[in-house]
Amino acid sequence: CGFARWAVGSHGGSCGGSRCISLRPQAVEQLVDRGLGWLSDQARTRFGRRRPFMAGGVVLYAAFFALLYSPPHDPGAEDCTSGAGAAYWFGAFYILFYLSDTLTNVPYEALGPELSDNYQERNRVFFLAKMFNFLGMVFAAAAPASSGDNLTRQSSRMNADL
């Protein structure tokens, strides 16, 4: 809810509207999850049942993430960067972003048990997947802090040179 409040509120929308917008994607996702799971169960392609959904979902994931943060700007006209326009832009792309997340993650989570019939192998695969997921989150959390330190040092050096 904090992200929705910032995204809509910083462009003139209301905080109450942002709460409403932030709940809709999860509600839509709950309705879509089961259907998408069934669809990926029934799919038969040369790439397997799950991989085409994951590949398509990743592309849409990236596109909707970029669009979520870049509402169009038309100076002098009522546009998406203020008030209700920002709320509608954010709401639409937030829902699409969550749907692409579903398109990627539902087949991904179902793929693990299908990789092997051996219990030990499946455990190893799940362990490695969760370990890399955790390491990626740690890296993503630490990267802004480390890059901020580097930028501060570089700007200090540049100021010292002046």
Side-chain angles (χ1 to χ4, degrees):
C1 183
F3 173 71
R5 188 177 311 131
W6 168 82
V8 176
S10 65
H11 295 291
S14 71
C15 287
S18 68
R19 287 180 192 265
C20 183
I21 288 171
S22 67
L23 291 175
R24 286 197 175 124
Q26 284 106 10
V28 170
E29 184 184 25
Q30 293 303 315
L31 297 172
V32 173
D33 276 1
R34 291 182 186 357
L36 185 63
W38 178 85
L39 191 61
S40 75
D41 285 345
Q42 304 306 312
R44 301 286 184 253
T45 70
R46 67 182 184 157
F47 302 109
R49 298 190 307 177
R50 315 291 182 194
R51 288 180 186 91
F53 291 97
M54 293 186 299
V58 167
V59 171
L60 293 173
Y61 214 179
F64 293 142
F65 183 75
L67 288 168
L68 182 65
Y69 284 105
S70 56
H73 182 67
D74 185 11
E78 179 62 32
D79 59 359
C80 288
T81 59
S82 63
Y88 289 128
W89 179 272
F90 178 75
F93 284 104
Y94 199 40
I95 289 171
L96 291 171
F97 176 75
Y98 261 89
L99 288 176
S100 63
D101 176 67
T102 298
L103 185 62
T104 305
N105 285 321
V106 168
Y108 172 75
E109 294 294 332
L111 181 64
E114 296 176 352
L115 293 177
S116 173
D117 291 331
N118 183 322
Y119 175 78
Q120 295 298 328
E121 257 182 59
R122 274 197 313 268
N123 277 345
R124 203 168 323 138
V125 166
F126 275 107
F127 171 75
L128 288 172
K130 299 302 177 186
M131 183 183 70
F132 282 115
N133 186 20
F134 174 75
L135 291 173
M137 286 190 291
V138 168
F139 176 74
S146 65
S147 64
D149 290 343
N150 289 336
L151 291 174
T152 303
R153 277 188 239 124
Q154 287 176 357
S155 68
S156 297
R157 277 187 232 142
M158 288 173 52
N159 288 337
D161 291 339
L162 295 175

